[in-house]
């Protein structure tokens, strides 16, 4: 797959890889036979050896981290504790060897802690990425805070003197960046810090957005590319696909599992990159993507969170895959806004699609939600949302449409102008008759639908729509503003053309003049 870096960063087009968080594992008859045989022969022996070696490594790691004061934890491990490192390291490597990971093919050379305080590993795709960590000397890692609570592995993680982060806590993230900066600028006193800059597991089909924490210190980094060139991929563990325990067992049932580690040259940031961590991160990612021969996308961990949100709403998980980083940087959309938009998206889809778990909005859905009959104006606005011309709107297109099509015209002035057009006699409120006169005449809406819209807008149930109620409804359904303006523009264009050709009746001409007069009068009031 060819990389298309510059256009991808400048456009809102769909990514080359639509879902980097799914892994589909297809087993052939040969694979099934092999797994069945290995499950009752080799795999159980391997599992026993793995557990035994972990149990042997644990007391040495536990002893090394025992009796440390809070002050000691802020310093690199030294003294007699360091003498235990080779023992723990050999036993940990034995764990992977016993599990069938015999071969680690290495390219390039690992830099020293002084030359490159940070080692950046990507792509991150598996719990078996712990193998490169062990191979790199069980040096410090950036890990989730919950990792230290895992039996056996928690102690081994603590032994590496990790930098712990709680992803949902913004204060923890800030403290993590400060700690990375403190260690990175120690002049080689601390061991190198291993960071998986993607922040979550993918299927290795691309490199997603690198988090900027590793790049704030502005120190040299050494990129390290990871590959698992196996015929059957039993190591990938993503949000959708086989679970960790299943993948672990399938890996034990393979004759062997290979891993490739390639050290790239140390990347020294320029002065511009030191001032701009995002630029630094993107340039390092480009260098790694070139080495791996894979594309880049702007997906992040927040896309995974949106996938979980979609599942809670009984939507297909891939609905939440919107490339959050790109929408955030280009459109200013926040995560909380995306959650609100997803609720609207679910409302437009309606309950009739719940069993089918449809991930897109049709033109009919769009029309039904807005209670507007299908028309040229409605179709034009729908097409503005439908960026790929598929005849359907997915959630990503819906968010872009709201941001670029509907929201910009749904401003205070537009809402006031629309309200005054409905308020025919300048009463300061809109009656059901006023609403019926415009909607029925302009959009051919039935009396029943007009009545339903009126009840939705008139939340006070007093028979009068105030400006605040009108504004609140317009903000809830911003699509109306664009549709109303589109209809008005098309109406004027059609009538102007008819005037020039002298092919319309005097009644139509009067209607056009009356429409223009109302618009001019309302515009003057706004001024």
């Amino acid at each position: 797959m060819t990389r298309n870096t510059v256009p991808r960063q400048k456009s809102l087009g769909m990514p080359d890889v639509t879902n980097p968080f799914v892994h589909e594992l297809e087993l052939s008859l040969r694979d099934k036979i092999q797994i069945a045989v290995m499950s009752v022969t080799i795999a159980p022996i391997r599992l026993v050896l793995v557990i035994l070696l972990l149990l042997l490594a644990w007391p040495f790691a536990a002893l090394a981290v025992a009796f440390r004061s809070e002050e000691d934890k802020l310093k690199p491990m030294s003294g007699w504790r360091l003498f235990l490192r080779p023992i723990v390291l050999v036993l940990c490597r034995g764990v992977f060897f016993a599990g069938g990971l015999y071969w680690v093919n290495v390219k390039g050379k690992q830099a020293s802690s002084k030359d490159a305080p940070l080692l950046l590993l990507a792509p991150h795709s598996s719990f078996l990425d712990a193998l490169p960590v062990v191979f790199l000397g069980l040096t410090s890692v950036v890990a989730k805070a919950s990792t230290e609570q895992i039996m056996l592995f928690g102690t081994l993680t603590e032994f590496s003197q990790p930098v712990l982060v709680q992803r949902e806590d913004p204060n923890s993230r800030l403290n993590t960046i400060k700690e990375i900066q403190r260690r990175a600028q120690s002049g080689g006193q601390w061991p190198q810090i291993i960071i998986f800059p993607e922040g979550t597991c993918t299927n290795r089909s691309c490199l997603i957005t690198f988090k900027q924490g590793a790049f704030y210190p502005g120190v040299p980094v050494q990129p390290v590319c990871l590959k698992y060139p196996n015929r059957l991929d039993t190591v990938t563990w993503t949000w959708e696909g086989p679970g960790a325990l299943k993948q672990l067992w399938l890996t034990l049932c393979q004759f062997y599992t290979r891993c490739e580690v390639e050290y790239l040259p140390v990347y020294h940031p320029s002065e511009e990159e030191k001032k701009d961590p995002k630029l630094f991160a993107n340039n390092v990612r480009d260098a790694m993507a070139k080495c791996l021969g894979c594309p880049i996308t702007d997906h992040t961990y927040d896309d995974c969170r949106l996938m979980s949100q979609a599942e809670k709403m009984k939507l297909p998980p891939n609905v939440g895959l919107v490339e959050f980083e790109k929408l955030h940087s280009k459109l200013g959309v926040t995560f909380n806004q995306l959650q609100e938009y997803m609720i609207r998206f679910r409302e437009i889809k309606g309950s009739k699609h719940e069993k089918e778990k449809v991930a897109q909005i049709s033109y009919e859905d769009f029309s039904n939600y807005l209670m507007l009959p299908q028309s040229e104006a409605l179709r034009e606005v729908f097409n503005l949302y439908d960026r790929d011309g598929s005849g359907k709107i997915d959630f990503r297109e819906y968010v872009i449409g709201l941001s670029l099509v509907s929201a910009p015209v749904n401003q205070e002035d537009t809402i006031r102008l629309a309200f005054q057009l409905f308020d025919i006699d300048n009463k300061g409120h809109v009656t059901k008759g006023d609403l019926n006169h415009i909607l029925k005449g302009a959009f051919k809406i039935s009396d029943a639908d007009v009545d339903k819209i009126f009840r939705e807008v008139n939340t006070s149930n007093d028979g009068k729509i105030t400006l605040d109620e009108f504004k609140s409804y317009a903000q809830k359904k911003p699509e109306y503003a664009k549709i109303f303006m589109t209809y008005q523009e098309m109406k004027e264009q059609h009538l102007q053309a008819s005037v020039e050709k002298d092919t319309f009746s005097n009644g139509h001409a009067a209607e056009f003049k009356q429409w223009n007069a109302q618009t001019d009068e309302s515009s003057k009031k706004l001024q």
Side-chain angles (χ1 to χ4, degrees):
M1 188 176 295
T2 58
R3 291 176 62 248
N4 198 14
T5 304
V6 175
R8 284 279 307 122
Q9 292 176 344
K10 289 185 177 180
S11 75
L12 284 167
M14 287 297 293
D16 294 330
V17 179
T18 56
N19 193 344
F21 305 112
V22 62
H23 175 53
E24 297 179 357
L25 183 63
E26 296 183 2
L27 300 176
S28 65
L29 179 61
R30 169 192 165 186
D31 294 325
K32 294 177 180 178
I33 294 174
Q34 177 183 323
I35 291 168
V37 173
M38 296 282 280
S39 292
V40 295
T41 55
I42 304 300
I45 297 174
R46 283 178 170 175
L47 182 60
V48 170
L49 289 174
V50 165
I51 295 174
L52 180 61
L53 287 166
L54 279 174
L55 291 173
L56 288 174
W58 180 83
F60 291 102
L63 180 60
V65 299
F67 315 115
R68 291 186 304 161
S69 65
E70 291 300 320
E71 185 178 350
D72 290 334
K73 293 179 181 180
L74 297 176
K75 299 177 182 178
M77 202 173 289
S78 59
W80 60 270
R81 302 178 192 274
L82 282 180
F83 289 106
L84 297 175
R85 176 175 290 276
I87 301 174
V88 176
L89 192 56
V90 168
L91 290 173
C92 286
R93 288 185 176 180
V95 167
F96 290 98
F97 187 85
L101 286 91
Y102 308 138
W103 288 283
V104 178
N105 186 25
V106 180
K107 298 180 181 179
K109 183 178 179 181
Q110 182 178 355
S112 67
S113 176
K114 187 175 182 180
D115 293 333
L118 306 180
L119 296 173
L120 306 184
L121 276 60
H124 184 25
S125 63
S126 172
F127 51 86
L128 287 181
D129 285 341
L131 171 60
V133 173
V134 171
F135 186 81
L136 292 169
L138 205 61
T139 185
S140 298
V141 295
V142 174
K144 293 185 293 184
S146 58
T147 305
E148 284 198 333
Q149 307 302 319
I150 302 175
M151 187 181 300
L152 296 179
F153 294 102
T155 302
L156 293 171
T157 301
E158 185 181 359
F159 174 76
S160 73
Q161 293 190 280
V163 178
L164 299 177
V165 58
Q166 183 69 44
R167 285 187 290 198
E168 289 77 15
D169 180 6
N171 292 327
S172 178
R173 294 180 181 181
L174 179 60
N175 293 334
T176 299
I177 292 172
K178 289 181 178 178
E179 179 62 15
I180 292 174
Q181 191 167 17
R182 183 179 74 88
R183 295 193 189 189
Q185 295 175 345
S186 67
Q189 294 181 15
W190 278 90
Q192 287 172 299
I193 302 175
I194 292 177
I195 299 176
F196 292 91
E198 292 174 295
T200 191
C201 288
T202 70
N203 56 21
R204 295 194 302 279
S205 60
C206 62
L207 289 182
I208 64 174
T209 301
F210 280 8
K211 293 185 174 294
Q212 298 174 32
F215 304 93
Y216 275 104
V219 297
V221 300
Q222 183 170 32
V224 183
C225 296
L226 304 179
K227 298 178 183 179
Y228 292 92
N230 301 291
R231 184 187 63 81
L232 184 65
D233 185 359
T234 63
V235 302
T236 298
W237 179 42
T238 56
W239 284 72
E240 285 188 70
L245 292 179
K246 180 178 180 179
Q247 291 294 78
L248 176 60
W249 186 257
L250 292 178
T251 300
L252 293 174
C253 290
Q254 303 307 303
F255 293 117
Y256 58 84
T257 300
R258 294 186 299 168
C259 175
E260 290 185 3
V261 177
E262 182 171 358
Y263 299 102
L264 300 188
V266 175
Y267 192 102
H268 296 270
S270 64
E271 289 302 318
E272 186 180 5
E273 289 171 328
K274 290 178 181 179
K275 297 176 182 177
D276 187 351
K278 185 175 182 179
L279 176 65
F280 189 5
N282 287 339
N283 288 344
V284 171
R285 182 175 63 157
D286 287 344
M288 297 183 76
K290 184 177 180 180
C291 172
L292 292 163
C294 69
I296 61 174
T297 70
D298 291 300
H299 293 101
T300 68
Y301 174 67
D302 288 308
D303 287 274
C304 298
R305 294 170 63 192
L306 287 169
M307 287 173 64
S308 298
Q309 186 76 13
E311 284 190 293
K312 291 178 182 177
M313 295 184 186
K314 297 182 180 179
L315 294 167
N318 62 354
V319 166
L321 290 170
V322 297
E323 286 193 299
F324 173 77
E325 176 60 27
K326 176 161 286 185
L327 298 189
H328 176 65
S329 61
K330 288 192 170 294
L331 303 178
V333 182
T334 66
F335 184 80
N336 289 336
Q337 285 178 315
L338 282 174
Q339 288 181 309
E340 293 175 4
Y341 291 164
M342 190 175 287
I343 294 173
R344 291 185 189 174
F345 183 83
R346 176 69 181 81
E347 290 175 351
I348 296 176
K349 271 177 31 60
S351 59
K352 69 176 183 176
H353 293 312
E354 188 169 313
K355 291 183 179 179
E356 299 134 351
K357 287 201 170 185
V358 179
Q360 296 173 317
I361 294 170
S362 68
Y363 178 46
E364 181 183 358
D365 296 330
F366 198 64
S367 172
N368 291 339
Y369 172 69
L370 296 170
M371 290 179 284
L372 294 174
Q374 297 180 15
S375 64
E376 188 179 354
L378 185 67
R379 170 61 77 177
E380 183 170 322
V381 174
F382 181 87
N383 290 340
L384 290 174
Y385 278 66
D386 181 17
R387 297 174 65 83
D388 61 0
S390 65
K392 302 280 187 177
I393 299 173
D394 61 29
F395 178 59
R396 186 176 189 273
E397 290 174 320
Y398 179 66
V399 173
I400 295 172
L402 279 179
S403 302
L404 298 181
V405 178
S406 292
V409 300
N410 202 35
Q411 301 300 323
E412 185 80 15
D413 289 349
T414 306
I415 293 173
R416 284 183 177 274
L417 174 60
F419 180 79
Q420 290 175 1
L421 288 174
F422 282 104
D423 181 12
I424 299 174
D425 298 324
N426 300 318
K427 302 179 296 295
H429 62 266
V430 176
T431 65
K432 187 185 295 185
D434 297 333
L435 196 69
N436 184 72
H437 177 75
I438 298 295
L439 293 182
K440 193 172 182 180
F443 294 99
K444 312 300 180 187
I445 299 180
S446 66
D447 291 337
D449 284 338
V450 171
D451 184 64
K452 187 175 181 181
I453 292 174
F454 185 84
R455 282 186 276 109
E456 282 194 11
V457 182
N458 182 215
T459 54
S460 62
N461 296 318
D462 60 357
K464 301 175 182 178
I465 297 175
T466 65
L467 176 59
D468 288 339
E469 288 175 326
F470 191 86
K471 187 186 302 181
S472 177
Y473 190 74
Q475 291 171 346
K476 180 183 177 183
K477 294 187 176 181
E479 298 89 356
Y480 269 116
K482 183 60 181 177
I483 292 170
F484 182 79
M485 291 184 65
T486 300
Y487 176 83
Q488 182 176 338
E489 291 168 359
M490 293 174 64
K491 182 91 171 175
E492 291 178 355
Q493 289 172 2
H494 290 327
L495 291 178
Q496 283 281 23
S498 298
V499 169
E500 292 173 1
K501 294 180 180 180
D502 198 27
T503 59
F504 63 103
S505 66
N506 292 333
H508 283 158
E511 180 183 356
F512 176 64
K513 291 177 181 179
Q514 180 182 2
W515 182 279
N516 275 338
Q518 286 180 328
T519 304
D520 292 341
E521 182 180 353
S522 299
S523 298
K524 290 177 182 177
K525 290 179 181 178
L526 284 177
Q527 294 173 358

